[in-house]
Amino acid sequence: MNKQDGLRIGQQQLAEAWQRTLPDTINETDSAIVKPDEANEQALRITIEAAGHQMYSFDFRVEYVDSREVRVELVDVERDGRSVDERTEIIQQLIQDYTRHIHECAQTLHAVTKT
């Protein structure tokens, strides 16, 4: 990230803004927890708990490439506290949906992150 287009908001405030905004962009029955990424001040850790009896939990790492664009990386998928094979069709579809919702949230927060 070049300095001219870097984030002008602290990581904790950014995480709080995401925590307020992300629940509006994901499915109403799902829940999300957003925390600062301790290893990278330009990144956040997002855990999305899928609603329903599947009990899936998706962990994403979201890194700001610049003040407008985020890179979303799946870290892990768990079911009932155990890692699962994320290559199944249903899980791939959920990953795509959540990735899209995360990008939508980033766009919504553009007013907060732009220089």
Side-chain angles (χ1 to χ4, degrees), residues 53-84:
H53 30 268
Q54 291 108 351
M55 298 185 69
Y56 286 121
S57 173
F58 296 81
D59 290 321
F60 292 94
R61 183 172 173 273
V62 177
E63 181 178 2
Y64 273 84
V65 178
D66 59 32
S67 65
R68 296 174 307 279
E69 185 183 347
V70 294
R71 180 182 307 121
V72 180
E73 173 188 340
L74 178 70
V75 176
D76 191 28
V77 179
E78 293 182 353
R79 181 178 189 171
D80 227 359
R82 290 191 204 92
S83 288
V84 296

Side-chain angles (χ1 to χ4, degrees), residues 1-6 8 67 115:
M1 175 182 318
N2 72 45
K3 291 186 186 216
Q4 287 148 310
D5 200 21
R8 301 258 195 257
S67 65
T115 52

Side-chain angles (χ1 to χ4, degrees), residues 3 7 9 15-16 19 31 52 58 65 91 96 102 104 106 109:
K3 291 186 186 216
L7 293 174
I9 181 173
E16 290 166 5
Q19 185 64 61
S31 63
F58 296 81
V65 178
I91 292 178
Q96 288 177 2
I102 289 169
E104 288 170 9
L109 289 170

Side-chain angles (χ1 to χ4, degrees), residues 1-60:
M1 175 182 318
N2 72 45
K3 291 186 186 216
Q4 287 148 310
D5 200 21
L7 293 174
R8 301 258 195 257
I9 181 173
Q11 188 183 30
Q12 185 61 44
Q13 292 100 328
L14 184 63
E16 290 166 5
W18 272 80
Q19 185 64 61
R20 285 190 305 271
T21 308
L22 188 58
D24 295 336
T25 62
I26 61 175
N27 299 325
E28 206 173 284
T29 53
D30 295 341
S31 63
I33 298 169
V34 182
K35 296 180 179 172
D37 184 325
E38 294 177 9
N40 181 345
E41 66 182 32
Q42 301 297 326
L44 300 170
R45 292 290 184 146
I46 297 175
T47 300
I48 298 176
E49 303 282 341
H53 30 268
Q54 291 108 351
M55 298 185 69
Y56 286 121
S57 173
F58 296 81
D59 290 321
F60 292 94

